[in-house]
Amino acid sequence: MDREEYVERVLSLVERIPAGRVTTYGALAEAVGVGGPRQVGTVMATYGGPVPWWRVVHADGRLAHEEDDDAARQHHLGEGTPFRPSGKVDMKQAMWWPDVLSAEPGPLLP
DNA sequence: GCGCTGACTGAGG
DNA sequence: TCCTCAGCCAGCG
Protein backbone atom coordinates (compact mmCIF):
# COMPACT_ATOMS: atom_id res chain seq x y z
CA MET A 1 0.00 0.00 0.00
CA ASP A 2 1.21 3.52 -0.48
CA ARG A 3 2.08 5.91 2.29
CA GLU A 4 -1.19 7.80 2.15
CA GLU A 5 -3.18 4.65 2.68
CA TYR A 6 -0.91 3.59 5.50
CA VAL A 7 -1.37 6.94 7.20
CA GLU A 8 -5.12 6.69 6.74
CA ARG A 9 -5.29 3.25 8.34
CA VAL A 10 -3.23 4.30 11.31
CA LEU A 11 -5.30 7.42 11.89
CA SER A 12 -8.59 5.58 11.47
CA LEU A 13 -7.54 3.08 14.11
CA VAL A 14 -6.52 5.84 16.51
CA GLU A 15 -9.94 7.43 16.02
CA ARG A 16 -11.56 4.15 17.03
CA ILE A 17 -9.84 4.02 20.40
CA PRO A 18 -12.64 4.40 22.96
CA ALA A 19 -12.42 7.22 25.49
CA GLY A 20 -10.77 6.03 28.66
CA ARG A 21 -8.70 3.42 26.85
CA VAL A 22 -5.28 3.51 25.19
CA THR A 23 -3.23 1.49 22.75
CA THR A 24 0.47 1.28 21.88
CA TYR A 25 2.51 2.11 18.83
CA GLY A 26 3.43 -1.54 18.48
CA ALA A 27 -0.21 -2.63 18.61
CA LEU A 28 -1.14 -0.18 15.88
CA ALA A 29 1.77 -1.33 13.73
CA GLU A 30 0.69 -4.93 14.15
CA ALA A 31 -2.93 -4.15 13.35
CA VAL A 32 -2.02 -2.35 10.16
CA GLY A 33 0.38 -5.15 9.36
CA VAL A 34 3.09 -3.03 7.76
CA GLY A 35 6.15 -1.39 9.18
CA GLY A 36 6.97 -1.14 12.87
CA PRO A 37 6.26 1.01 15.90
CA ARG A 38 8.66 3.68 14.77
CA GLN A 39 6.82 4.06 11.49
CA VAL A 40 3.61 4.62 13.46
CA GLY A 41 5.45 7.18 15.56
CA THR A 42 6.50 9.04 12.46
CA VAL A 43 2.95 9.04 11.14
CA MET A 44 1.60 10.36 14.44
CA ALA A 45 4.24 13.06 14.63
CA THR A 46 3.41 14.23 11.13
CA TYR A 47 -0.32 13.66 10.74
CA GLY A 48 -1.45 12.93 14.30
CA GLY A 49 -2.84 16.39 14.98
CA PRO A 50 -6.57 15.85 14.23
CA VAL A 51 -6.86 12.50 16.05
CA PRO A 52 -6.81 11.68 19.81
CA TRP A 53 -3.05 11.11 19.81
CA TRP A 54 -2.93 11.05 23.61
CA ARG A 55 -4.58 7.62 23.50
CA VAL A 56 -1.45 6.22 21.88
CA VAL A 57 1.21 5.46 24.49
CA HIS A 58 4.47 3.56 24.93
CA ALA A 59 4.33 -0.20 25.53
CA ASP A 60 4.89 0.27 29.26
CA GLY A 61 2.17 2.89 29.69
CA ARG A 62 4.28 6.01 29.58
CA LEU A 63 2.71 8.94 27.79
CA ALA A 64 4.28 9.86 24.49
CA HIS A 65 6.08 13.13 23.75
CA GLU A 66 6.88 14.54 27.17
CA GLU A 67 6.31 18.16 26.18
CA ASP A 68 2.63 17.43 25.67
CA ASP A 69 2.66 15.03 28.58
CA ASP A 70 0.65 17.43 30.68
CA ALA A 71 -2.03 18.03 28.05
CA ALA A 72 -2.34 14.28 27.52
CA ARG A 73 -2.75 13.72 31.26
CA GLN A 74 -5.59 16.23 31.38
CA HIS A 75 -7.39 14.45 28.54
CA HIS A 76 -7.00 11.10 30.28
CA LEU A 77 -8.22 12.44 33.59
CA GLY A 78 -11.26 13.82 31.83
CA GLU A 79 -11.95 10.49 30.17
CA GLY A 80 -11.39 8.42 33.28
CA THR A 81 -8.40 6.50 32.00
CA PRO A 82 -7.01 4.28 34.79
CA PHE A 83 -3.68 5.60 36.03
CA ARG A 84 -1.06 4.04 38.27
CA PRO A 85 0.41 6.00 41.18
CA SER A 86 3.66 6.17 39.24
CA GLY A 87 1.97 8.48 36.74
CA LYS A 88 1.77 5.91 33.97
CA VAL A 89 -1.35 4.48 32.38
CA ASP A 90 -2.52 1.20 33.92
CA MET A 91 -2.05 -0.93 30.81
CA LYS A 92 -3.79 -3.97 32.29
CA GLN A 93 -7.04 -2.06 32.43
CA ALA A 94 -6.65 0.57 29.77
CA MET A 95 -5.09 -1.42 26.93
CA TRP A 96 -7.31 -1.50 23.87
CA TRP A 97 -6.25 -3.92 21.15
CA PRO A 98 -7.14 -2.57 17.70
CA ASP A 99 -9.46 -4.74 15.66
CA VAL A 100 -7.34 -5.83 12.70
CA LEU A 101 -10.38 -5.72 10.41
CA SER A 102 -10.90 -2.08 11.34
CA ALA A 103 -7.63 -1.28 9.63
CA GLU A 104 -9.12 -2.32 6.30
CA PRO A 105 -10.58 0.80 4.71
CA GLY A 106 -12.59 -1.09 2.11
CA PRO A 107 -16.11 -2.54 2.38
CA LEU A 108 -14.81 -5.59 4.23
CA LEU A 109 -17.10 -5.02 7.17
CA PRO A 110 -20.74 -5.99 6.70
C1' DG B 1 22.82 4.62 -2.81
C1' DC B 2 24.13 6.16 2.04
C1' DG B 3 23.86 7.84 6.57
C1' DC B 4 21.13 10.19 10.07
C1' DT B 5 17.06 10.56 12.76
C1' DG B 6 12.95 9.38 15.43
C1' DA B 7 6.04 10.54 19.48
C1' DC B 8 9.39 2.51 19.66
C1' DT B 9 10.35 -2.06 22.06
C1' DG B 10 12.25 -5.56 24.96
C1' DA B 11 15.95 -7.31 27.70
C1' DG B 12 19.50 -6.43 31.30
C1' DG B 13 21.65 -4.14 35.15
C1' DT C 1 11.90 2.59 38.65
C1' DC C 2 15.23 4.45 35.80
C1' DC C 3 19.06 4.05 32.35
C1' DT C 4 21.44 1.83 28.52
C1' DC C 5 21.84 -0.97 24.47
C1' DA C 6 20.76 -3.32 20.36
C1' DG C 7 17.32 -4.21 16.87
C1' DC C 8 14.09 -2.28 13.89
C1' DC C 9 11.69 0.41 9.78
C1' DA C 10 10.89 4.48 6.93
C1' DG C 11 11.39 9.22 5.56
C1' DC C 12 14.53 12.72 4.16
C1' DG C 13 18.37 15.10 2.75
Side-chain angles (χ1 to χ4, degrees), chain A residues 56-78:
Chain A
V56 185
V57 301
H58 291 249
D60 61 0
R62 290 187 335 256
L63 301 177
H65 208 236
E66 274 200 37
E67 297 163 20
D68 294 333
D69 171 282
D70 203 51
R73 202 174 300 275
Q74 294 308 312
H75 281 293
H76 284 304
L77 287 176

Side-chain angles (χ1 to χ4, degrees), chain A residues 21-40:
Chain A
R21 308 291 295 280
V22 301
T23 195
T24 68
Y25 293 91
L28 287 174
E30 196 167 312
V32 176
V34 181
R38 314 202 58 160
Q39 172 62 8
V40 174

